[in-house]
Amino acid sequence: MSQEVNNPSTSNPPSINPRIESWKIFYKKLRKNRAAMFGGILVLLFIIVAIIGPYFTPYDPGQTNYQVKLAPPSADHWFGTDHHGRDIFSRIIHGMGITLMIGFASVFASAIIGTTIGIVSGYYGGRLDNFIMRIMDVLLAFPGILLALAIVSVLGPSIENVIIAVAIFSVPVFARIARGSTLSVRKLEYIDAVKALGASDSRIIFKHILPNVTSPLIVQTTLSIATAILSASGLSFIGLGAQPPSPEWGAMLSDGRAYLYQAGHVAFFPGMMIVIVVLAFNIFGDGLRDALDPKMKA
């Protein structure tokens, strides 16, 4: 009489990692949003161009040639030349790295600081929460660009100071989002259970609260990068950001305003790139918000 042999690999189906499964659901939702996918592809393309593009530009971004100054777009100069005869296409490619660096650096700094402040404030509550939130309210009372303008005016015009200024006015937004999410998670029963088991505050914050508040913070990070790029370009436009001859887009746009009627392409192409990059981040951020929303069906 034959005896049936149980094979563990066939009798017990392999378990699926919940984190991998959640990422699959997230990607499925994101893929259905064509606008978000288009924005994400553009963002990825901009990052790649910012990294490798400067090695393949046809001209040096600082090379002047007054014989072809204010030349219109042509086969030799795809976006034309500026008032110093510099190739605008080459300057835009080189400036893409500067623009994205300002956006990413300022937002990541503000996200780290703001998230830390918000989680600590929401977790401990009490007087500490009131003190921190009142400071955030004071910062939020000023329009972001005006606060950045005041900070750069004190620190002096430079790219580094623009990053500091944009990071400071972005901190309250992340702090309030992190605090609100922390207050919701802190009330859950399993947090009380973990405390009863003797887990330390740092373990609870980093292992149980932080993973549950990352979704809105990721969305806000993407949207804040667009705001940071726009703010940095505005500061450079009025002379408080990147200084000549830096190929930063806001500074290029400022140079071109004197030639709007004589050679409109000098201002058009930098302005067009600012609009496209900001729009791409906003569209991608909206798609991330829908994909990370648990109420949205896959």
Side-chain angles (χ1 to χ4, degrees), residues 45 112 116 136 149 160 178 189 292 294:
L45 178 63
I112 293 172
T116 303
M136 297 299 106
L149 181 62
E160 293 78 10
E189 294 180 355
L292 291 170

Side-chain angles (χ1 to χ4, degrees), residues 7 18 42 54 77 119 143 152 165 180 196 201 246 258 268 276 292-293:
N7 188 350
L42 281 181
H77 302 279
I119 291 178
V152 175
D201 290 343
S246 173
F268 172 76
I276 292 175
L292 291 170
D293 188 356

Side-chain angles (χ1 to χ4, degrees), residues 165-181:
V166 175
I168 290 175
F169 85 69
S170 300
V171 165
V173 178
F174 286 97
R176 293 181 71 89
I177 292 175
R179 175 183 177 269
S181 301

Side-chain angles (χ1 to χ4, degrees), residues 192-205:
D192 295 332
V194 172
K195 286 183 179 179
L197 292 174
S200 62
D201 290 343
S202 60
R203 180 177 178 83
I204 294 174
I205 290 175

Side-chain angles (χ1 to χ4, degrees), residues 10-259:
T10 57
S11 60
N12 297 324
S15 60
I16 301 176
N17 191 323
R19 185 167 296 180
I20 296 177
E21 186 66 21
S22 64
W23 277 106
K24 288 182 179 180
I25 296 173
F26 160 73
Y27 177 72
K28 186 178 179 181
K29 290 181 181 180
L30 186 63
R31 190 175 56 184
K32 288 184 177 181
N33 192 328
R34 294 184 179 179
M37 290 297 293
F38 178 70
I41 292 172
L42 281 181
V43 169
L44 181 61
L45 178 63
F46 291 145
I47 294 174
I48 294 174
V49 171
I51 295 173
I52 67 174
Y55 297 101
F56 300 98
T57 52
Y59 299 93
D60 187 313
Q63 179 182 354
T64 59
N65 185 358
Y66 290 98
Q67 294 181 352
V68 293
K69 69 176 183 178
L70 301 178
S74 63
D76 293 331
H77 302 279
W78 294 353
F79 289 176
T81 61
D82 63 7
H83 55 296
H84 292 297
R86 297 172 297 194
D87 183 65
I88 295 178
F89 176 77
S90 299
R91 289 177 62 78
I92 284 179
I93 297 299
H94 281 262
M96 188 174 295
I98 299 174
T99 300
L100 293 182
M101 184 269 293
I102 294 174
F104 280 106
S106 59
V107 171
F108 284 160
S110 62
I112 293 172
I113 297 172
T115 301
T116 303
I117 292 174
I119 291 178
V120 170
S121 177
Y123 182 77
Y124 290 103
R127 293 182 178 179
L128 178 63
D129 181 30
N130 290 329
F131 175 73
I132 293 176
M133 286 301 103
R134 296 301 76 78
I135 295 177
M136 297 299 106
D137 289 341
V138 170
L139 293 177
L140 285 172
F142 298 93
I145 188 64
L146 291 182
L147 182 59
L149 181 62
I151 295 172
V152 175
S153 299
V154 172
L155 298 179
S158 69
I159 293 178
E160 293 78 10
N161 292 338
V162 167
I163 294 174
I164 294 173
V166 175
I168 290 175
F169 85 69
S170 300
V171 165
V173 178
F174 286 97
R176 293 181 71 89
I177 292 175
R179 175 183 177 269
S181 301
T182 302
L183 289 174
S184 299
V185 175
R186 192 186 65 175
K187 297 177 181 178
L188 298 178
E189 294 180 355
Y190 85 94
I191 297 295
D192 295 332
V194 172
K195 286 183 179 179
L197 292 174
S200 62
D201 290 343
S202 60
R203 180 177 178 83
I204 294 174
I205 290 175
F206 286 104
K207 189 172 182 180
H208 299 284
I209 292 182
L210 184 59
N212 287 286
V213 303
T214 52
S215 294
L217 293 173
I218 290 174
V219 175
Q220 184 59 42
T221 297
T222 307
L223 297 175
S224 293
I225 290 175
T227 303
I229 290 173
L230 201 58
S231 301
S233 298
L235 291 173
S236 296
F237 181 81
I238 60 178
L240 293 177
Q243 298 300 301
S246 173
E248 199 275 333
W249 294 346
M252 293 176 63
L253 186 62
S254 178
D255 290 339
R257 62 180 171 174
Y259 306 97

